[in-house]
Amino acid sequence: MLIEKNIQRQTLTLNLQGELDMNTSETLRQAIDTEIERRGIRTVILNLEEVSFIDSSGLGVILGRYKKLLPMGGKMIITNVPSHIYKIMELSGLPRIIEFENTPSRKMEGREK
Amino acid sequence: MKNQLELTFTSLPGNVGIARMLIASVAAQLDLALSDIEELKVVISEAVSNSIIHGYKNKEDMPITLRIEYDEKKLKILVRDQGCGIPDIEQAMQPAYSTDPERMGLGFVFMQSFMDDLQVESTVNEGTTVIMVKELENIRPSKH
């Protein structure tokens, strides 16, 4: 998993690349938690465009970071989710909890066969 | 065509990805659709992660056996560990049940959603075996 960090004021944008499973989710957890604690980050934007795989370990870390930000008045936005990853996220119920931007259902509209 | 593969590997987190690669290769050989391949990768990932995280409590030098059997009609996946076992299987399989607040309790939900049959056999202090079956007749492209 490759994590590219971009920080502007209190917003942390992470461009993730690779597979998000139990082997890599800890790296993501630390990457986000460190910035929340060290720089007072309150908005986390996760760009999943280059993520090729996610399972419940990955989903758990994302939900855990959301739960951490919420009581601090922070928020999380998930963007550019590939359609096969979005299907897994949908089944987990995550899109009902966390804000998604540029989701496949909107992006793919009219393009489904 | 009947095929059978068995792989025993150490309970290292990095091996979860290797298990996924194996099922993806089998699924590709069976001409399954990309969405079915993705689901099978999730299923294997959940079963193997459960063995490492729950069965072995993240101990990294324990054996996990992955067995894949298939023919034209069905694909059977078995994941076995010799870990702590599950005292209450019914409870463990409840959606959102998790022993760890950081986790979502979705492992068995995904396994149940993506497979046609799921059996869990477990003995406390001896280990757990998860056996999953996917019927292929309805999802494989018909060959004319």
Side-chain angles (χ1 to χ4, degrees):
Chain A
M1 160 121 307
L2 276 171
I3 303 176
E4 190 191 283
K5 279 188 193 181
N6 199 323
I7 299 172
Q8 273 187 327
R9 292 173 181 263
Q10 285 190 309
T11 301
L12 167 70
T13 305
L14 294 177
N15 298 314
L16 309 183
Q17 191 185 340
E19 302 190 311
L20 201 44
D21 65 2
M22 69 164 288
N23 191 34
T24 55
S25 54
E26 182 57 24
T27 315
L28 177 61
R29 192 179 71 79
Q30 280 174 10
I32 299 175
D33 284 1
T34 309
E35 300 304 336
I36 291 176
E37 281 146 30
R38 213 169 46 193
R39 298 185 211 246
I41 290 294
R42 289 299 173 263
T43 302
V44 174
I45 301 171
L46 290 182
N47 178 7
L48 303 192
E49 194 171 4
E50 301 292 324
V51 170
S52 55
F53 178 83
I54 196 161
D55 63 12
S56 66
S57 299
L59 294 167
V61 165
I62 292 176
L63 184 71
R65 308 294 60 66
Y66 168 78
K67 283 182 175 167
K68 190 180 175 128
L69 284 162
L70 209 57
M72 299 169 163
K75 66 171 182 173
M76 177 181 270
I77 302 166
I78 298 175
T79 66
N80 299 313
V81 186
S83 57
H84 69 280
I85 303 285
Y86 190 73
K87 271 167 80 177
I88 306 294
M89 294 183 125
E90 222 171 10
L91 197 62
S92 76
L94 218 58
R96 288 198 300 268
I97 304 167
I98 300 176
E99 188 181 332
F100 277 65
E101 261 178 23
N102 203 11
T103 59
S105 50
R106 269 175 243 160
K107 204 165 58 181
M108 300 290 286
E109 222 162 3
R111 279 171 51 189
E112 298 273 3
K113 18 175 191 176
Chain B
M1 169 209 53
K2 222 179 165 136
N3 197 5
Q4 192 174 295
L5 299 104
E6 192 171 298
L7 174 70
T8 300
F9 51 88
T10 308
S11 53
L12 284 164
N15 284 340
V16 181
I18 294 176
R20 278 201 299 272
M21 270 165 38
L22 183 64
I23 196 67
S25 304
V26 167
Q29 212 171 69
L30 283 163
D31 286 328
L32 299 191
L34 279 178
S35 57
D36 291 316
I37 298 178
E38 287 306 323
E39 291 180 2
L40 287 168
K41 280 165 68 181
V42 172
V43 160
I44 289 272
S45 213
E46 300 299 346
V48 175
S49 298
N50 272 352
S51 286
I52 298 175
I53 298 166
H54 303 294
Y56 292 133
K57 315 273 184 232
N58 294 305
K59 213 165 162 249
E60 294 191 339
D61 56 353
M62 303 303 284
I64 295 171
T65 298
L66 167 64
R67 189 182 167 88
I68 302 170
E69 290 171 26
Y70 62 90
D71 57 24
E72 287 88 350
K73 288 181 180 164
K74 65 167 106 177
L75 170 67
K76 188 172 159 184
I77 301 167
L78 179 150
V79 177
R80 173 180 291 144
D81 66 61
Q82 294 162 31
C84 66
I86 306 168
D88 187 341
I89 295 174
E90 215 172 298
Q91 182 192 41
M93 287 174 77
Q94 291 294 317
Y97 174 80
S98 181
T99 48
D100 180 347
E102 273 279 299
R103 305 184 57 80
M104 290 180 81
L106 281 171
F108 280 122
V109 174
F110 286 150
M111 289 184 245
Q112 268 164 333
S113 308
F114 297 150
M115 300 298 282
D116 294 298
D117 189 49
L118 168 67
Q119 303 286 336
V120 181
E121 292 162 10
S122 190
T123 309
V124 172
N125 296 328
E126 282 182 21
T128 301
T129 303
V130 174
I131 303 160
M132 298 173 283
V133 175
K134 189 150 185 85
E135 304 289 345
L136 301 177
E137 283 175 297
N138 301 327
I139 60 166
R140 290 185 72 199
S142 54
K143 284 185 178 148
H144 294 291

